[in-house]
């Protein structure tokens, strides 16, 4: 292995040179994962890093090249504080630039992650691999990790969208409109709905987690504001479509999309959820159709919509496939017991 120095950095307040080199490193990996994606501008990346939510603990490490010009490898570890959810769990990601692979750098970074997990008494590590980068699955498999959840990035080409289906789903409003009101929030959530939305957001815990040994994540109004600050940093525009039961005033469904000025032809579809008591009436389809119709009207530059789904999320996939979403990339979530991992890297 080459002589390397692994340097810890504080991602919330690193210096400009480190941010620039790390963003370049991340963008090289982004291109490798998906050549269709444009690089993230530095200002946008710094905005994201400065706004890393305070309710998660983050550690980062970087490996500079011998001339200290580029970052050749990086790693991060994310977890909740020990007194919060999932105190047993730590999620990590390691990226090594292709010319530096198979020299033990990934393993060296993993040793730092493992030391952190040991110091905090975490017992389970979770990471991910991507189709198109077989090295990642090989690396994790060799460590004894097990695939725990298969997911797909599905993509809709708006030229292939079935517009008559969108109209049909928009018309669901004629049936349910007496009971429910549908509307949009652009940008920040209004203060008066924050509690209701935090409660509704918990429905995302019902999305399939496969074999991942994790517990529900609780969404408080404070956490929602922290997530929002990250999402909206750097000029990202978020539209949230929501459904409210008129009689009770309760928020019962939502679906959100993100549009980033540096990638104007692509819209990202984020979370969507409907409260169990209000399912089976077409609220999910109604929200999706109203959002897509608005996007086509007000964002004519968008050609593609992307979303990530667990492969077992039948209700969400049924809606997405009907609209014309097709698999674009696949991702696997892997998990490994720390106790079994330690002998592999010692
Ligand atoms: C996965 C990744 C981090 C591995 O980094 P690395 O520095 O090459 O890893 P190491 O040199 O420490 O490899 C350790 C072992 O993993 C296995 N491995 C790694 N890459 C492999 C490949 N392309 N094919 C087969 N086995 C591989 C080997 O057993 C290797 O040991 P060996 O070289 O002695 O045979 C790197 O390929 C990468 O950055 N990929 C893109 C980022 C990514 O997808 N990360 C997700 C995983 S956290």
């Amino acid at each position: 292995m080459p002589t390397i120095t692994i340097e810890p950095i504080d991602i919330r307040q690193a210096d400009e040179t480190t941010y620039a080199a790390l963003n370049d490193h991340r963008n090289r990996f982004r291109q490798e994962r998906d050549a269709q994606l444009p690089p993230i501008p530095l200002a946008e990346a710094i905005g994201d890093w400065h706004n890393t939510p305070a309710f998660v603990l983050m550690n980062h490490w970087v490996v500079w090249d011998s001339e200290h010009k580029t970052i050749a490898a990086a790693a991060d570890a994310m977890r909740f504080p020990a007194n919060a959810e999932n105190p047993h769990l730590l999620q990590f990601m390691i990226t090594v630039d292709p010319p530096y692979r198979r020299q033990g750098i990934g393993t060296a970074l993993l040793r730092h992650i493992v030391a952190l997990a040991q110091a905090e008494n975490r017992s389970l590590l979770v990471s991910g691999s991507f189709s198109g980068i077989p090295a990642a699955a090989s690396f994790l498999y060799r460590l004894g990790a097990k695939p725990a959840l298969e997911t797909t990035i599905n993509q809709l080409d708006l030229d292939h969208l079935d517009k008559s289906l969108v109209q049909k789903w928009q018309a669901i409003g004629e049936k349910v409109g007496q009971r429910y009101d549908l509307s949009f929030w652009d940008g920040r959530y209004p203060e008066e709905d924050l509690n209701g939305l935090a409660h509704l957001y918990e429905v995302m815990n019902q999305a399939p987690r496969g074999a991942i040994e994790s517990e529900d994540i609780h969404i408080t109004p404070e956490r929602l504001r922290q997530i929002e600050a990250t999402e909206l940093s750097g000029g990202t525009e978020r539209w949230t479509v929501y459904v409210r039961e008129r009689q009770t005033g309760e928020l019962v469904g939502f679906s959100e999309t993100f549009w980033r000025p540096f990638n104007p032809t692509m819209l990202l579809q984020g979370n969507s959820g409907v409260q169990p008591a209000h399912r089976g009436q077409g609220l999910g389809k109604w929200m999706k159709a109203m959002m897509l119709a608005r996007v086509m009207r007000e964002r004519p530059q968008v050609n593609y919509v992307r979303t990530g789904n667990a492969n077992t999320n039948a209700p969400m996939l049924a809606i997405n496939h009907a609209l014309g979403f097709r698999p674009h990339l696949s991702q696997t979530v892997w998990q490994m017991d720390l106790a079994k991992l330690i002998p592999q890297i010692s």
Side-chain angles (χ1 to χ4, degrees), residues 8-192:
I9 60 163
D10 180 349
I11 202 66
R12 294 182 174 95
Q13 44 187 351
D15 61 74
E16 192 80 18
T17 313
T18 305
Y19 276 144
L22 185 58
N23 192 45
D24 289 346
H25 171 76
R26 289 261 182 106
N27 279 330
R28 287 192 289 278
F29 173 53
R30 198 171 140 85
Q31 272 280 303
E32 182 184 4
R33 241 171 43 209
D34 185 348
Q36 212 182 321
L37 294 177
I40 299 181
L42 180 57
E44 177 116 357
I46 293 178
D48 285 355
W49 284 322
H50 281 168
N51 287 290
T52 303
F55 71 88
V56 291
L57 303 176
M58 292 294 309
N59 284 59
H60 283 75
W61 299 265
V62 295
V63 175
W64 290 90
D65 67 350
S66 53
E67 291 164 3
H68 210 276
K69 283 218 172 93
T70 60
I71 287 180
D76 61 63
M78 199 267 283
R79 67 274 183 219
F80 287 90
N83 61 356
E85 304 94 312
N86 292 303
H88 66 295
L89 200 141
L90 180 149
Q91 196 175 320
F92 75 87
M93 183 70 196
I94 302 173
T95 47
V96 180
D97 275 345
Y100 295 87
R101 289 183 189 161
R102 298 304 287 269
Q103 300 172 51
I105 297 176
T107 307
L109 283 161
L110 184 59
R111 284 195 194 101
H112 285 254
I113 292 166
V114 164
L116 177 69
Q118 277 183 298
E120 293 184 354
N121 286 320
R122 312 254 166 194
S123 55
L124 191 73
L125 267 54
V126 167
S127 191
S129 69
F130 309 87
S131 55
I133 312 185
S138 304
F139 177 76
L140 293 164
Y141 179 78
R142 202 224 40 170
L143 293 167
K146 299 265 186 311
L149 181 69
E150 301 292 343
T151 68
T152 300
I153 303 289
N154 291 301
Q155 178 167 290
L156 170 66
D157 179 340
L158 285 180
D159 283 343
H160 300 155
L161 173 66
D162 181 349
K163 309 233 169 33
S164 62
L165 186 67
V166 173
Q167 279 172 356
K168 195 172 145 201
W169 288 1
Q170 281 181 280
I172 291 172
E174 291 160 22
K175 273 189 270 160
V176 299
Q178 280 215 320
R179 182 171 175 198
Y180 299 104
D181 172 50
L182 178 146
S183 198
F184 284 86
W185 292 309
D186 294 357
R188 271 171 67 84
Y189 307 123
E191 197 58 38
E192 63 271 21

Side-chain angles (χ1 to χ4, degrees), residues 217-340:
I217 292 169
H218 298 300
I219 300 296
T220 61
E222 297 74 39
R223 285 183 172 185
L224 211 46
R225 282 286 187 228
Q226 289 178 25
I227 295 169
E228 173 172 79
T230 314
E231 288 176 347
L232 300 184
S233 66
T236 300
E237 292 181 20
R238 181 184 64 200
W239 287 351
T240 309
V241 59
Y242 63 91
V243 170
R244 191 190 302 276
E245 191 179 34
R246 292 179 189 276
Q247 201 189 351
T248 58
E250 189 192 349
L251 292 170
V252 301
F254 79 109
S255 176
E256 46 198 14
T257 62
F258 301 89
W259 181 81
R260 306 175 93 180
F262 72 88
N263 191 8
T265 58
M266 191 173 288
L267 185 82
L268 301 179
Q269 166 71 58
N271 288 320
S272 301
V274 174
Q275 287 287 22
H278 300 270
R279 291 181 188 161
Q281 303 176 81
L283 299 185
K285 291 178 185 169
W286 188 29
M287 289 191 293
K288 291 273 173 162
M290 296 300 279
M291 177 68 85
L292 283 170
R294 184 176 171 201
V295 168
M296 287 186 288
R297 233 177 19 247
E298 296 180 32
R299 290 207 200 284
Q301 65 275 57
V302 171
N303 298 326
Y304 299 100
V305 185
R306 285 253 180 113
T307 190
N309 305 112
N311 292 356
T312 51
N313 194 341
M316 196 70 265
L317 288 172
I319 291 180
N320 288 344
H321 288 160
L323 286 168
F325 279 87
R326 296 289 171 260
H328 178 68
L329 284 174
S330 57
Q331 302 183 353
T332 303
V333 181
W334 298 72
Q335 66 185 2
M336 58 213 94
D337 289 333
L338 186 70
K340 290 189 193 147

